[in-house]
């Protein structure tokens, strides 16, 4: 795009028609009026959006066939319909995607997350650290209703027992009522507490025939039941969801007189025979015991014990000294056991880690097994498959860090899709069950004195991603429902919900990007709904964040970028340009600019210019200014009026005009200085002075880019430089470099700086200073 440097063309306003018509002094520029182009009414598919999430559609989105230069430049000048909400959504989704990718890359457990781990048939989940339910005490002999606990079994529970809070109250209640309903989460040590309570109650009562397991607990409700062994303690495990707990429903929940009579008879029999009975269970038993029939029995909710205290007691016994305790604590910290027990703070896990330490075995290996999220997730889904539990686990996985009510509402939507239709709203209380069937989740309340909803978080940072991967890859019958539900979340009114749903879609695509692209990502990427296209771009950023999936994702993006001039293909190309502006582009900037070039270089079709321009801005904000500027220099090298040159320089001017917005999440920056509200290329001007000087010179030299370039330069001087100390000095050096180039650059800069300095309504002190500098440099 060389310019005529003859004396005639050096005068403001002189030159060929392809230059900006520099108006004479004292006259204002005429406003350029462009007619709006109607949307194409023949669009084959319109996306249904939740009210409040719609975005204005541009001609480039809906018009089949090439889009004109004029319309594309107008879209670019107007920000391509991207309002503050859309920019915020893109930033939010990008930040969350970065955080998810960081977690997957760090993988603190040392295990691989993905299809291999999820489908690994060699992993055993029935025992080890994740055995479910109470100890069975060996196989049940045929026809036997009770089983005596042997001395070793009792000693294992009692010798190194750590009493939970309010243990004495539970003991007093058992001694008084003879029947105690003891509830707690699985693995909380409720069986150990029950055995100790029975032993102490028997000792206080003068008995001592040992403890027995009731293998058919419902037998105690039968008329005429007598304990098989007098002066003994009985333990009955009524785990959530078991048939045993259901058989107690009538005794606890039936009419007041009937339930009272049943339990009164049981208590009388136990008292007469010198026996005690402890029923252990979880949330289901706790709810039952609160019914009318529960008035005749004692009830106690077990307070979780400190797992570190359990380890210390089981390793050091009752007489561990201060030095021994310090050494043990150091071992637990060094091997990651302390972190593991924070993530899974159950007495069962503490007891088993202690057994590894006592055996002088590999503690680090045991900790790695305990923390392996794939094992935790597989074991959990093997135990919990009801719609309530699955729905909340998936909602938490998608919306982690959101408030409880947001997660619960989303879980109810998914639960409805996984369940048979119900005539009335169900009485579902997710919060009541979290401590029992969702122990991997915690609710974090605001800091002391703060206000806000409790936040839903997983104890292990990788659990949410593994839950999503497991459900998507292994729950074949529920895949359609999960995808439909996720699609609904992408139209949610809450920006944070939409962003996290988009990231979750990327996690689903990690195991099989090819399947995801054909199943849903291509449809989203070509949608007329901007939130859906943003979701597709975000999902691909996450899906391509692992080395084993990156190549497949890049192939998809290149294919989308090279499409034809139809509206649908143009939207695919725009989504590709959006995707490479995030995490993918930061890790492979060369490939990112190649996608941008393919999307931009489309003969006479200008419809992808706004998308490519935004992609370049995002790459620059990701710390890839050098790659983007080099690309714009290469693409505009002919310096003529060819479409690719004008498009490239228009994208450059757009980039220098976009102020930087601070990340919504602190996930680690690019390492370069950033000033919110100031274009990155202005703050980085000293680092890229030669590149920027050449691009500014090209952009200022010819219409139609010249108009926007002058406006951008004016804003640099008057609006942005004041927000960034030292920036005006850098602009001064830039303009001196531009002015030294052959042609009429000096004359043009002098004329416009003088105009801005003399503006009657808003005289520019910065322009006046720069004008004096230019005059002195002649």
């Amino acid at each position: 795009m060389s310019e005529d440097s003859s004396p005639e063309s050096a005068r403001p306003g002189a030159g060929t028609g392809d230059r900006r018509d520099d108006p004479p002094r004292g006259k204002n520029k005429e406003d350029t009026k462009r007619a709006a182009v109607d949307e194409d009414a023949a669009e084959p598919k319109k996306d249904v959006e939740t009210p409040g999430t719609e975005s204005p559609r541009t001609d480039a989105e809906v018009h089949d066939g090439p889009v004109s230069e004029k319309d594309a430049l107008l879209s670019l000048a107007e920000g391509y319909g991207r309002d503050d909400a859309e920019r915020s959504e893109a930033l939010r989704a990008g930040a969350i995607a970065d955080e998810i990718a960081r977690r997957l890359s760090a993988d603190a457990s040392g295990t691989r997350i993905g299809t291999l781990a999820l489908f690994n048939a060699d992993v055993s989940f029935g025992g080890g650290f994740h055995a479910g339910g109470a100890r069975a005490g060996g196989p049940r002999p045929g026809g036997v209703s009770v089983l005596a606990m042997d001395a070793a079994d009792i000693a294992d529970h009692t010798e190194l027992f750590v009493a939970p809070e309010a243990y004495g109250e539970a003991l007093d209640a058992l001694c008084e009522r003879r029947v105690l309903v003891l509830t707690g989460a699985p693995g909380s040590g409720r069986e150990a507490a029950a055995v100790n309570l029975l032993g102490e109650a028997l000792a206080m009562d003068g008995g001592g025939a040992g403890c027995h397991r009731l293998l058919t607990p419902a037998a105690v409700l039968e008329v005429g039941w007598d304990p098989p062994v007098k002066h003994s303690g009985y333990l009955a495990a009524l785990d959530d969801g078991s048939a045993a707990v259901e058989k107690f429903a009538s005794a606890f929940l039936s009419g007041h007189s009937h339930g009272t009579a049943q339990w009164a008879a049981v208590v009388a029999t136990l008292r007469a025979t010198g026996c005690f009975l402890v029923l252990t269970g979880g949330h289901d038993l706790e709810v039952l015991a609160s019914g009318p029939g529960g008035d005749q029995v004692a009830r106690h909710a077990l307070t979780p014990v400190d797992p570190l205290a359990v380890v210390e007691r089981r390793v050091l016994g009752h007489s561990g000294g201060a030095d021994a305790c310090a050494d043990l604590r150091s071992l637990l910290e060094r091997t990651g056991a302390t972190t593991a027990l924070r993530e899974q703070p159950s007495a069962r896990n503490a007891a088993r880690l202690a057994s590894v330490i006592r055996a002088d075995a590999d503690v680090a290996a045991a900790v790695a097994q305990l923390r392996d999220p794939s094992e935790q997730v597989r074991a959990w889904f093997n135990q919990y498959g009801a719609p309530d539990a699955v729905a909340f686990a998936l909602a938490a996985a998608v919306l982690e860090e959101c408030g409880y009510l947001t997660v619960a509402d989303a879980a109810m939507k998914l639960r409805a899709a996984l369940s048979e239709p119900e005539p009335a709203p169900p009485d579902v209380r997710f919060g009541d069950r979290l401590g029992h069937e969702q122990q991997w989740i915690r609710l974090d309340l605001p800091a002391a004195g703060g206000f806000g909803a409790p936040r839903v978080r997983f104890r292990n940072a990788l659990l949410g991603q593994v839950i999503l991967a497991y459900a998507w890859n292994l729950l074949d019958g529920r895949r359609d429902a999960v995808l439909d539900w996720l699609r609904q979340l992408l139209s949610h009114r809450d920006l944070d919900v939409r962003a996290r749903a988009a990231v979750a879609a990327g996690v689903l695509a990690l195991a099989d990007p090819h399947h995801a692209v054909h199943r849903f990502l291509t449809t989203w990427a070509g949608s007329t709904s901007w939130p859906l296209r943003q979701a597709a771009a975000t999902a691909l950023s996450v899906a391509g964040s692992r080395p084993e999936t990156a190549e497949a994702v890049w192939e998809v993006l290149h294919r989308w970028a090279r499409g034809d001039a139809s509206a649908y293909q143009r939207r695919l190309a725009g989504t590709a340009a959006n995707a490479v502006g995030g995490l993918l582009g930061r890790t492979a900037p060369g490939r990112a600019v190649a996608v941008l070039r393919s999307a931009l270089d489309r003969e006479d079709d200008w419809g992808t210019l706004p998308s490519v321009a935004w992609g370049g801005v995002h790459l620059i904000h990701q710390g890839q200014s050098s790659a983007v500027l080099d690309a714009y220099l290469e693409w505009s090298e002919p310096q003529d009026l060819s479409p690719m040159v004008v498009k490239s320089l228009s994208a450059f001017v757009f980039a220098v005009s976009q102020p930087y917005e601070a990340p919504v999440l602190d996930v680690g920056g690019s390492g370069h200085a950033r000033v919110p509200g100031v274009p990155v290329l202005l703050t980085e001007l000293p680092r890229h002075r030669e590149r920027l000087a050449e691009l500014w010179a090209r952009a200022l030299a010819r219409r139609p880019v010249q108009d926007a370039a002058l406006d951008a330069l004016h804003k640099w001087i008057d609006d942005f430089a004041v927000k960034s100390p030292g920036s005006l000095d850098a602009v001064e050096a830039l303009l001196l470099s531009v002015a030294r180039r052959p042609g009429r650059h000096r004359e043009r800069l002098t004329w416009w700086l003088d105009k801005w300095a003399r503006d009657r309504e808003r005289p520019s002190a910065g322009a006046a200073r720069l004008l004096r500098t230019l005059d002195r440099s002649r």
Side-chain angles (χ1 to χ4, degrees):
M1 191 186 289
S2 58
E3 65 174 350
D4 186 351
S5 57
S6 65
E8 177 70 17
S9 65
R11 297 198 314 270
T16 58
D18 60 10
R19 297 188 183 89
R20 177 184 181 97
D21 294 326
D22 293 332
R25 303 186 188 211
K27 292 186 179 180
N28 295 326
K29 298 179 293 181
E30 293 185 0
D31 294 333
T32 303
K33 298 180 180 179
R34 293 177 170 87
V37 181
D38 292 334
E39 290 186 359
D40 184 3
E43 182 67 32
K45 180 180 179 181
K46 299 296 183 183
D47 295 283
V48 178
E49 298 176 346
T50 299
T53 67
E54 308 93 337
S55 58
R57 293 174 182 164
T58 68
D59 176 73
E61 290 178 358
V62 298
H63 177 70
D64 264 323
V67 172
S68 69
E69 173 185 349
K70 181 182 71 172
D71 292 324
L73 293 177
L74 176 61
S75 294
L76 198 62
E78 294 176 348
Y80 190 33
R82 288 198 179 183
D83 56 19
D84 291 341
E86 289 185 352
R87 288 195 293 272
S88 297
E89 181 161 348
L91 288 170
R92 184 71 176 171
I96 297 170
D98 278 1
E99 173 63 13
I100 296 300
R102 185 193 63 77
R103 292 179 186 177
L104 294 174
S105 298
D107 199 348
S109 67
T111 60
R112 179 181 175 188
I113 306 304
T115 308
L116 179 62
L118 293 173
F119 285 92
N120 189 347
D122 295 331
V123 178
S124 173
F125 299 96
F129 289 99
H130 303 284
R135 294 178 56 181
R140 171 184 170 182
V144 176
S145 61
V146 298
L147 189 66
M149 299 180 66
D150 59 32
D153 201 8
I154 293 176
D156 185 50
H157 284 312
T158 58
E159 288 185 355
L160 299 173
F161 176 66
V162 177
E165 185 179 344
Y167 175 81
E169 295 177 9
L171 179 58
D172 292 341
L174 175 61
C175 291
E176 179 183 351
R177 296 291 187 95
R178 295 282 167 165
V179 178
L180 175 67
V181 175
L182 184 66
T183 55
S188 61
R190 63 196 184 197
E191 180 176 301
V195 171
N196 280 270
L197 288 168
L198 288 171
E200 293 197 44
L202 286 170
M204 294 170 65
D205 199 50
C211 293
H212 297 75
R213 298 181 189 275
L214 282 176
L215 304 182
T216 55
V220 304
L221 300 176
E222 296 175 0
V223 177
W225 175 80
D226 276 321
V229 181
K230 305 297 189 284
H231 305 290
S232 179
Y234 290 89
L235 172 63
L238 307 178
D239 295 332
D240 285 349
S242 66
V245 73
E246 294 177 3
K247 292 180 180 179
F248 278 78
S250 62
F252 282 118
L253 300 180
S254 60
H256 187 274
S257 59
H258 176 70
T260 298
Q262 273 190 298
W263 282 113
V266 172
V267 170
T269 299
L270 292 170
R271 197 179 302 278
T273 56
C275 295
F276 297 90
L277 171 63
V278 176
L279 305 175
T280 65
H283 177 263
D284 291 350
L285 179 60
E286 185 176 6
V287 172
L288 287 178
S290 64
D295 293 344
Q296 295 297 308
V297 302
R299 302 193 301 270
H300 184 80
L302 197 64
T303 301
V305 296
D306 180 2
L308 293 178
V310 173
V311 174
E312 288 183 0
R313 178 67 59 81
R314 286 183 167 264
V315 173
L316 304 176
H318 293 277
S319 58
D323 290 342
C325 286
D327 291 343
L328 177 60
R329 293 272 179 163
S330 176
L331 172 67
L332 296 177
E333 287 287 345
R334 190 169 62 252
T335 58
T338 303
T339 300
L341 292 175
R342 277 199 300 267
E343 294 173 352
Q344 299 187 70
S346 72
R348 176 190 300 162
N349 291 330
R352 288 170 180 167
L353 271 181
S355 68
V356 173
I357 297 173
R358 287 203 311 270
D360 199 23
D362 190 341
V363 179
V367 169
Q369 181 189 4
L370 179 60
R371 297 195 66 201
D372 183 352
S374 295
E375 287 201 30
Q376 293 179 54
V377 171
R378 178 78 171 267
W380 187 89
F381 274 99
N382 283 345
Q383 184 174 0
Y384 300 104
D388 290 28
V390 171
F392 195 87
L394 287 175
V398 173
L399 302 177
E400 185 177 7
E401 299 290 340
C402 290
Y404 169 78
L405 293 179
T406 299
V407 176
D409 286 348
M412 286 301 299
K413 294 287 187 183
L414 180 56
R415 178 191 179 277
L418 300 178
S419 308
E420 293 292 333
E422 295 170 295
D427 184 14
V428 177
R429 307 180 189 187
F430 294 119
D432 290 349
R433 308 189 69 93
L434 287 184
H436 296 268
E437 62 188 23
Q438 306 275 3
Q439 295 183 61
W440 50 21
I441 291 174
R442 69 176 193 265
L443 292 181
D444 289 345
L445 297 173
F451 175 79
R455 297 284 158 178
V456 176
R457 295 186 175 98
F458 284 97
R459 297 181 186 276
N460 181 313
L462 287 172
L463 274 170
Q465 288 74 63
V466 182
I467 289 170
L468 288 171
Y470 184 97
W472 182 250
N473 287 286
L474 295 179
L475 303 185
D476 299 322
R478 292 173 166 176
R479 191 174 298 120
D480 283 345
V482 170
L483 183 58
D484 290 344
W485 168 72
L486 198 62
R487 168 64 181 83
Q488 292 175 25
L489 292 182
L490 293 174
S491 297
H492 199 280
R493 291 180 180 274
D494 188 337
L495 179 155
D496 204 35
V497 170
R498 298 197 300 273
R500 293 183 182 278
V503 172
V507 174
L508 300 185
L510 268 171
D512 190 346
H514 178 81
H515 172 268
V517 165
H518 292 282
R519 180 67 186 273
F520 61 91
L521 286 179
T522 302
T523 301
W524 294 1
S527 169
T528 57
S529 165
W530 189 88
L532 273 185
R533 297 201 302 277
Q534 174 61 44
T538 301
L540 284 170
S541 293
V542 176
S545 64
R546 300 298 296 267
E548 60 267 29
T549 57
E551 189 62 35
V553 170
W554 280 112
E555 289 178 2
V556 170
L557 295 175
H558 281 289
R559 185 169 68 249
W560 287 355
R562 293 190 295 264
D564 58 34
S566 69
Y568 176 73
Q569 291 292 335
R570 191 182 303 120
R571 290 193 292 268
L572 290 181
T575 301
N578 189 7
V580 301
L583 176 63
L584 287 172
R586 188 171 71 237
T587 54
R591 303 191 75 164
V593 296
V595 169
L596 293 182
R597 174 159 194 161
S598 295
L600 193 62
D601 195 4
R602 290 167 157 248
E603 298 295 334
D604 294 328
D605 183 16
W606 289 68
T608 58
L609 172 58
S611 298
V612 171
W614 273 111
V617 170
H618 293 155
L619 276 176
I620 289 169
H621 290 189
Q622 294 282 341
Q624 302 303 323
S625 299
S626 295
V628 176
L629 294 177
D630 286 343
Y632 290 159
L633 284 168
E634 177 187 346
W635 303 345
S636 63
E637 180 61 32
Q639 300 189 54
D640 53 22
L641 289 179
S642 62
M644 191 61 181
V645 171
V646 177
K647 291 176 185 178
S648 304
L649 293 177
S650 297
F652 163 72
V653 172
F654 187 74
V656 299
S657 304
Q658 297 305 310
Y660 175 70
E661 295 185 49
V664 292
L665 292 177
D666 184 12
V667 293
S670 64
H672 305 305
R674 296 285 189 268
V675 180
V678 176
V680 170
L681 291 178
L682 176 55
T683 57
E684 293 185 355
L685 179 52
R687 297 179 58 242
H688 306 291
R689 180 173 292 116
E690 287 306 311
R691 293 184 178 99
L692 287 168
E694 179 60 27
L695 284 167
W696 271 111
R698 295 177 186 180
L700 290 166
R702 293 289 191 274
R703 296 183 66 184
V705 183
Q706 188 187 63
D707 288 328
L710 283 166
D711 291 340
L713 180 60
H714 195 183
K715 289 180 180 178
W716 267 31
I717 295 170
D718 282 359
D719 298 340
F720 298 132
V722 295
K723 301 177 182 179
S724 177
S727 290
L728 196 59
D729 294 335
V731 173
E732 181 179 281
L734 171 76
L735 296 187
L736 288 173
S737 179
V738 172
R740 285 194 292 266
R741 281 166 166 70
R744 61 190 296 263
H745 297 294
R746 178 181 294 275
E747 287 82 355
R748 181 181 299 106
L749 289 174
T750 299
W751 193 91
W752 283 100
L753 289 173
D754 181 69
K755 173 179 171 56
W756 298 333
R758 295 172 179 271
D759 188 280
R760 293 180 179 180
E761 296 182 359
R762 190 187 174 194
S764 170
R769 169 189 157 177
L770 296 173
L771 179 62
R772 291 192 297 270
T773 301
L774 280 184
D775 289 341
R776 288 195 300 266
S777 68
R778 290 182 183 275

